């Protein structure tokens, strides 16, 4: 299993760069950042710094979208970084929840997302595409490679990920829901004539390592409760579309949003998010990794058995460096079969 670290591009950028370097030294293979440029700093500028300071780490947004940048601009960003640093980028992409809604716009349709994924990948890899009726190709691309990994929850999005994406990003770490969604993605891949195993699976969620005490667990839950609010915001869209009782969406995913009142994007991805009162401890425990190292390892082993290729740690809490260090010393070696001294 690979490991990634997910950070917000809050200033100062130098701190994020140092943490990415630290993560690579501890065995993290991937670095990811949020991409909502009204809420945080522009990620691709910072990605260049990270790639320059690291040796092998693969960088990408979790996630960009088809609408805040034109597709040729997004493709050229990736292609330029790949030309400079040797094909070390991945394009995580979705409909654009926070990036669009914080600006008063609607997320992209799945049809638009599908067109964008193909165009961005083809342009970044040097092939000609048609964008808005105009044929174009980036002439200086040589041997470019850009895997496109799609974030998804709902049935139609899962089907698109399986049909067209190189990887599937699932932003929660509940084994039951992971199994349900990975099955949907791989079924769609097989129906499209693809090898289901060719679609990489990345589970992304907060991880907080505790000392095993009741007080430590309570603190960890409060530090990670924001994630239940963020996921609930996506789930609320699914409930509005398919209803509370639908075979299209697991009831285990929809039940907890019944008391949700709203969502303020100015607190998106923040520990102090006030719109998380509806998130119970049980959801935090299911969606995140909280507890002592042994419990992290046990849950990650279950996820790996379900076909998860990468676990990406959302590090938005008061112990970012601690979780990087502990994962590097104990969790990553345990999942790779190494003996920890």
């Amino acid at each position: 299993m690979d490991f990634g670290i997910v950070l917000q591009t809050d200033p100062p950028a130098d701190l994020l760069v140092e943490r990415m370097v630290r993560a690579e030294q501890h065995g993290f293979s991937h670095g990811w950042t949020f991409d909502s440029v009204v809420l945080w700093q522009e990620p691709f500028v910072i990605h260049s710094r990270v790639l320059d300071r690291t040796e092998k780490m693969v960088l990408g947004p979790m996630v960009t979208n088809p609408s805040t940048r034109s597709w040729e601009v997004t493709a050229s960003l990736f292609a330029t970084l790949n030309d400079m640093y040797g094909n070390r980028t991945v394009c995580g992409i979705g409909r654009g929840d926070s990036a669009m809604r914080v600006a008063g716009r609607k997320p992209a349709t799945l049809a638009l997302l599908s067109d964008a994924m193909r165009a961005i990948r083809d342009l970044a890899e040097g092939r000609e595409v048609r964008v808005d009726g105009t044929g174009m190709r980036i002439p200086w691309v040589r041997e470019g490679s850009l895997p496109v990994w799609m974030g998804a929850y709902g049935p139609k999005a899962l089907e698109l990920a399986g049909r067209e994406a190189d990887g599937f990003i699932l932003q929660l770490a509940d084994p039951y829901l992971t199994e349900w969604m990975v099955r949907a993605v791989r079924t769609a891949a097989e129906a499209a004539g693809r090898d289901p195993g060719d679609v990489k699976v990345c589970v992304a969620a907060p991880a907080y390592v505790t000392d095993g005490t009741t007080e430590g667990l309570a603190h960890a839950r409060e530090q990670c409760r924001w994630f239940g609010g963020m996921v609930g915001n996506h789930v609320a869209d699914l409930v509005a579309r398919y209803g509370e009782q639908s075979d299209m969406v697991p009831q285990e995913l929809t039940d907890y949003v019944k008391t949700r009142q709203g969502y303020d994007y100015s607190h998106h991805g923040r520990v102090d998010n006030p719109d998380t009162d509806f998130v119970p401890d049980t959801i935090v425990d299911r969606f995140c990794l909280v507890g002592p190292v042994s419990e992290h390892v046990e849950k990650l082993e279950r996820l790996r058995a379900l076909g998860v290729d990468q676990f990406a740690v959302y590090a938005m809490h008061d112990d970012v460096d601690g979780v990087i260090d502990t994962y590097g010393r104990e969790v990553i070696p345990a999942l790779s079969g190494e003996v920890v001294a």
Side-chain angles (χ1 to χ4, degrees):
M1 177 183 277
D2 288 333
F3 285 84
I5 187 76
V6 190
L7 299 173
Q8 292 170 342
T9 52
D10 285 317
D14 285 348
L15 178 58
L16 182 147
V17 174
E18 293 300 329
R19 281 173 166 163
M20 289 290 189
V21 172
R22 183 190 196 111
E24 182 183 58
Q25 293 170 346
H26 278 296
F28 288 81
S29 62
H30 287 67
W32 303 90
T33 66
F34 280 32
D35 180 17
S36 295
V37 294
V38 173
L39 297 175
W40 301 286
Q41 293 183 326
E42 167 58 47
F44 289 102
V45 176
I46 301 171
H47 288 187
S48 184
R49 288 279 310 281
V50 175
L51 288 164
D52 191 58
R53 290 282 310 280
T54 54
E55 297 180 2
K56 296 181 180 180
M57 178 176 274
V58 176
L59 264 290
M62 189 178 281
V63 293
T64 192
N65 69 85
S67 304
T68 52
R69 299 176 182 86
S70 64
W71 302 345
E72 64 270 26
V73 170
T74 300
S76 184
L77 283 168
F78 282 110
T80 300
L81 293 173
N82 283 338
D83 187 64
M84 294 171 67
Y85 299 104
N87 288 335
R88 289 171 53 203
T89 67
V90 55
C91 177
I93 194 168
R95 294 176 58 221
D97 178 62
S98 62
M100 295 300 289
R101 285 178 166 146
V102 76
R105 308 182 188 115
K106 293 182 179 180
T109 64
L110 291 177
L112 186 70
L113 178 56
S114 172
D115 291 343
M117 288 196 297
R118 289 195 297 270
I120 291 168
R121 182 195 294 114
D122 285 348
L123 285 169
E125 295 183 346
R127 293 184 291 276
E128 182 171 346
V129 299
R130 296 190 69 81
V131 177
D132 295 331
T134 299
M136 62 179 69
R137 183 178 70 86
I138 302 177
W140 48 262
V141 173
R142 298 289 184 273
E143 299 181 356
S145 176
L146 181 66
V148 176
W149 293 19
M150 178 184 158
Y153 288 110
K156 292 182 179 179
L158 294 170
E159 193 276 333
L160 174 59
R163 189 176 74 240
E164 298 184 14
D166 300 299
F168 161 50
I169 297 172
L170 173 59
Q171 292 167 310
L172 54 82
D174 177 73
Y176 173 83
L177 294 171
T178 298
E179 182 177 19
W180 192 92
M181 294 188 185
V182 169
R183 185 189 309 119
V185 168
R186 292 193 165 153
T187 298
E190 187 172 16
R194 307 177 65 191
D195 181 346
D198 288 344
V199 183
K200 298 297 183 182
V201 177
C202 173
V203 162
Y208 199 107
V209 180
T210 73
D211 57 7
T213 65
T214 301
E215 294 78 9
L217 178 59
H219 179 74
R221 285 169 172 164
E222 289 309 313
Q223 289 292 305
C224 297
R225 200 175 303 277
W226 65 266
F227 184 70
M230 186 182 82
V231 173
N233 197 50
H234 296 294
V235 172
D237 283 348
L238 299 179
V239 171
R241 178 179 293 272
Y242 298 107
E244 292 183 3
Q245 305 296 326
S246 171
D247 293 337
M248 302 292 285
V249 183
Q251 188 172 346
E252 287 82 358
L253 186 62
T254 60
D255 276 351
Y256 85 102
V257 299
K258 291 179 179 178
T259 60
R260 174 183 176 273
Q261 298 298 315
Y263 195 80
D264 182 352
Y265 278 92
S266 66
H267 300 282
H268 188 64
R270 306 287 189 188
V271 171
D272 61 356
N273 190 328
D275 301 320
T276 59
D277 289 344
F278 71 97
V279 181
D281 288 348
T282 53
I283 288 293
V284 178
D285 293 348
R286 285 174 54 189
F287 286 9
C288 306
L289 277 75
V290 292
V293 167
S294 60
E295 293 184 11
H296 288 243
V297 172
E298 180 183 1
K299 191 167 190 178
L300 288 167
E301 287 176 338
R302 291 178 64 192
L303 292 170
R304 181 171 60 181
L306 295 173
V308 174
D309 299 289
Q310 179 185 152
F311 177 64
V313 177
Y314 270 113
M316 293 95 192
H317 48 57
D318 64 3
D319 193 28
V320 175
D321 295 325
V323 79
I324 292 173
D325 292 346
T326 303
Y327 262 62
R329 287 194 310 265
E330 302 183 58
V331 178
I332 294 176
L335 270 292
S336 65
E338 298 178 12
V339 177
V340 181

